[in-house]
């Protein structure tokens, strides 16, 4: 198997890998290969610096009449503006929280306040349980009927005809994933949102797994809510929720009385993780800079072009798309983020092709999900496999000893592993590729897997 870099990605992999200090680690003398991105990605130095810089200089609570508190308010406004550019919305539609799961439990309870027995919601068999259990719990509390959208077992894609058949005039909400964290399938989210809206239902989209792989555009999707987690796209351990302004204003959050009633802060409870929020602005800028590098050529890449967005916060006057020129530089950053994802897509596609070709040659190995290169636009570079006579845990342990970080089990995509009857026997081995992975890592992993299974 050749071990040299044979593709010429639009991304400058040398520059990229130099941004991430953790990538230089070794395990038992082997270079570490981080193929665990779906469980959480590594962070570039600028994110580490932003977090420690905040703690060193500005560590304070919000709303105080003194310097560090004012800096904290400005920093949070800047991070909100960055996420508004990342998601393509207005800053007051961006809610920060500890993680996607907590945000979804909170929002499901608030949405549940509007529902009554006889109402229906739809969840899918493909989703991570964080976009299922909160809705099941809310449905139990409110006497709401839950309908399940099934999958095509052969390629682990959502059965859209089945989904459509589960939506009717009683449906109040459709909860669906953007991409599967287990098998990599990318769902036709725009179509799902349109189906929900045609019946007057809300669409709640889990974009946690899609975040590192593709450009999220809530304005184009027209979704009512979309959740993601910054630790999956090169940032700190935090969750972010987009909600259309009309919903954030109409719905009643469970909250303490002294907290403001103004959006988005009324959805943010207690003191947030300020140091991590400082890291969010840095991670969005990292991605934007990738795009600037692609557009301008690597030598013109800046290290930091953060633009403060005080005008984005709590004005309520921005358009939903958040692209107006008076938004303090958002249009330029949004374009840079889009350019970054175009290049990321190209690089990940090359990695996926190489990985898929190599995996198909390993005897007794089964790949779950889409395997036909002609349909790679329907999936991301997250692969779930099983090999006869080897448990996923055994494989990931042996790979781990050789420096390859993979996952075994269900990764909370429990409904899928149960449905495919792999839950009892250890789930899948998951190999997750993101833009900082290389063809060399893919080749080395394939060689190691062949050695482990004696092929
Ligand atoms: C697709 C998907 N949805 C939701 C979650 C839950 O995210 P969080 O850890 O931010 O609660 C994960 C985490 O792995 C995920 O992969």
């Amino acid at each position: 198997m050749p071990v040299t870099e044979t593709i010429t990605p639009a991304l400058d992999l040398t520059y990229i890998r130099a941004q991430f200090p953790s990538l230089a680690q070794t395990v038992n003398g082997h270079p570490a290969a981080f193929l665990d991105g779906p469980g959480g990605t590594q962070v570039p130095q600028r994110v580490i610096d932003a977090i420690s810089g905040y703690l060193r200089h500005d560590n304070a609570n919000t709303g105080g009449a003194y310097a560090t508190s004012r800096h904290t308010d400005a920093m949070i406004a800047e991070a909100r503006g960055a996420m508004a550019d990342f998601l393509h919305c207005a800053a007051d539609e961006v809610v920060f929280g500890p993680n996607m799961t907590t945000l979804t439990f909170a929002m499901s309870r608030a949405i549940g306040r509007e529902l009554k027995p006889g109402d229906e919601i739809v969840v899918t068999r493909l989703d991570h349980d964080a976009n299922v259990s909160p809705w099941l719990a809310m449905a139990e509390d409110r006497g709401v009927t839950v309908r399940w959208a099934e999958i095509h077992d052969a390629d682990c894609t959502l059965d859209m005809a089945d989904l459509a058949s589960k939506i009717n005039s009683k449906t109040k909400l459709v909860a669906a994933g953007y991409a599967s964290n287990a098998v990599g399938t990318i769902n036709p989210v725009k179509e799902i949102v349109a189906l929900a809206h045609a019946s007057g239902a809300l669409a709640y989209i889990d974009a946690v797994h899609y975040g590192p792989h593709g450009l999220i555009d809530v304005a184009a999707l027209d979704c009512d809510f979309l959740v993601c987690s910054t630790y999956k796209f090169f940032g700190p351990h935090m969750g972010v929720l987009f909600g259309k302004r009309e919903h954030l204003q109409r719905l009643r959050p469970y909250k303490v009385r002294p907290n403001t009633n103004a959006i988005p802060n009324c959805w943010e409870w207690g003191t947030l993780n300020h140091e991590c929020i400082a890291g969010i602005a840095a991670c969005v800028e990292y991605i934007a800079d990738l795009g600037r590098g692609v557009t301008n050529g690597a030598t013109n890449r800046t290290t930091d072009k953060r633009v403060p967005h005080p005008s984005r916060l709590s004005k309520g006057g921005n358009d939903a798309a958040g692209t107006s020129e008076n938004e303090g530089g958002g249009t330029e950053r949004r374009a840079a983020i889009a350019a970054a994802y175009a290049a990321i897509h190209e690089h990940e596609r090359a990695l996926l092709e190489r990985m898929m070709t190599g995996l198909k040659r390993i005897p007794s190995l089964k790949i779950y999900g889409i395997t036909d290169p002609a349909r790679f636009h329907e999936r991301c570079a997250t692969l779930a496999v099983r090999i006869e006579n080897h448990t996923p845990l055994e494989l990931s342990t042996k790979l781990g000893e050789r420096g390859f970080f993979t996952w075994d089990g269900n990764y909370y995509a429990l409904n899928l592993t149960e449905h495919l009857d792999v839950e009892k026997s250890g789930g899948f081995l998951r190999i997750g590729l993101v833009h900082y992975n290389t063809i060399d890592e893919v080749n080395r992993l394939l060689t190691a897997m062949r050695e482990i299974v004696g092929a």
Side-chain angles (χ1 to χ4, degrees), residues 38-40 98-102 127-131 177 179-182 206-210 228-232 238-239 411-412 430:
N99 50 55
M100 175 276 184
T101 306
T102 309
D127 269 67
H128 185 286
D129 209 53
N131 203 25
S180 161
N181 69 316
D206 171 4
V208 172
H209 189 68
Y210 190 71
C228 59
S229 308
T230 52
Y231 73 94
K232 308 283 191 182
M238 287 281 296
Y411 353 102
Y412 286 22
R430 179 178 68 185

Side-chain angles (χ1 to χ4, degrees), residues 208-417:
V208 172
H209 189 68
Y210 190 71
H213 305 293
L215 182 70
I216 297 172
D217 188 337
V218 294
L221 293 174
D222 194 29
C223 52
D224 299 284
F225 299 93
L226 181 141
V227 262
C228 59
S229 308
T230 52
Y231 73 94
K232 308 283 191 182
F233 52 89
F234 325 110
H237 286 95
M238 287 281 296
V240 180
L241 177 142
F242 155 80
K244 275 187 182 166
R245 185 179 293 127
E246 66 196 83
H247 301 316
L248 294 184
Q249 282 172 341
R250 184 191 75 256
L251 290 163
R252 282 191 304 132
Y254 288 84
K255 63 182 257 313
V256 295
R257 287 170 299 159
N259 188 8
T260 176
N261 288 321
I263 67 161
N265 310 75
C266 62
W267 294 96
E268 297 173 334
W269 304 337
T271 303
L272 292 172
N273 188 331
H274 299 162
E275 54 273 29
C276 281
I277 295 178
I280 288 178
C283 108
V284 172
E285 267 306 310
Y286 163 74
I287 295 170
D289 262 0
L290 283 187
R292 292 175 188 127
V294 168
T295 311
N296 302 334
T299 49
N300 290 340
R301 185 184 287 111
T302 60
T303 50
D304 197 345
K305 280 170 80 175
R306 263 179 282 174
V307 182
H309 289 259
S311 63
R312 290 165 179 275
L313 193 65
S314 304
K315 291 271 166 58
N318 295 337
D319 61 33
T323 52
S324 57
E325 288 300 332
N326 64 359
E327 283 201 311
T331 307
E332 183 278 332
R333 179 157 55 190
R334 176 72 188 168
I337 293 167
Y341 276 108
I344 285 171
H345 175 78
E346 190 184 326
H347 178 63
E348 288 188 4
R349 164 100 196 202
L351 296 176
L352 175 63
E353 277 176 13
R354 182 67 60 89
M355 181 70 82
M356 195 68 87
T357 306
L359 289 176
K360 283 178 179 169
R361 290 191 188 132
I362 298 177
S364 310
L365 183 146
K366 178 170 176 183
I367 303 163
Y368 290 78
I370 294 165
T371 56
D372 177 0
R375 295 181 59 206
F376 277 0
H377 57 282
E378 293 176 59
R379 67 163 300 144
C380 48
T382 303
L383 296 107
V385 304
R386 286 175 62 91
I387 305 182
E388 263 174 38
N389 304 320
H390 298 273
T391 65
L393 176 59
E394 178 201 335
L395 291 168
S396 68
T397 304
K398 288 185 173 162
L399 287 168
E401 286 159 3
R402 291 164 163 82
F404 298 100
F405 302 167
T406 60
W407 271 99
D408 68 283
N410 63 36
Y411 353 102
Y412 286 22
L414 179 65
N415 300 296
L416 180 67
T417 53

Side-chain angles (χ1 to χ4, degrees), residues 36-63:
D36 61 340
T41 47
Q42 300 308 300
V43 295
Q45 183 64 46
R46 68 170 73 188
V47 170
I48 300 168
D49 291 344
I51 293 171
S52 59
Y54 173 78
L55 289 172
R56 191 171 301 122
H57 301 296
D58 290 326
N59 192 13
N61 218 320
T62 53

